[in-house]
Amino acid sequence: DVAAVGVSNDGTVQAAISFDEEEVTNMLLKVVAVTEDNGLKLPREFGLLVKQSLYFDRYLKILAPGLDVASDSRMIALGSGTEAKEVEVIV
């Protein structure tokens, strides 16, 4: 796992985290196992959320294998606060 934090010249802080997808899958399976072992039931929406994120990840790898979502300028602009920034979108 790699975590990186940086401060730009204008004082904004940006961070990026990379992780092993297999590790995330194993963690989710452990969460499900712990809840079942303790007689708890996860809400249906939890399963739907996990499935949708896995679908999104799979489509992203197929359609844009070189895209790093965490460092993509469109995603950075979305999380940059209230001021709007112009972002170039290449289609």
Side-chain angles (χ1 to χ4, degrees):
D1 298 347
V2 176
V5 178
V7 179
S8 65
N9 292 337
D10 64 355
T12 58
V13 178
Q14 296 181 355
I17 300 174
S18 67
F19 49 85
D20 182 20
E21 294 167 19
E22 188 174 318
E23 192 176 311
V24 173
T25 302
N26 289 335
M27 189 231 9
L28 287 172
L29 292 173
K30 287 179 184 178
V31 167
V32 171
V34 167
T35 57
E36 289 175 351
D37 291 346
N38 291 290
L40 301 172
K41 186 172 182 173
L42 292 170
R44 182 176 181 266
E45 291 81 3
F46 179 78
L48 292 174
L49 179 65
V50 170
K51 283 169 70 173
Q52 287 303 314
S53 65
L54 292 173
Y55 289 148
F56 177 76
D57 187 56
R58 183 185 326 156
Y59 297 144
L60 185 63
K61 286 181 182 175
I62 292 169
L63 298 173
L67 180 65
D68 180 13
V69 177
S71 64
D72 186 72
S73 62
R74 294 166 288 195
M75 296 304 290
I76 292 170
L78 286 175
S80 65
T82 56
E83 66 183 50
K85 292 185 177 181
E86 188 175 323
V87 177
E88 179 184 355
V89 178
I90 301 171
V91 181

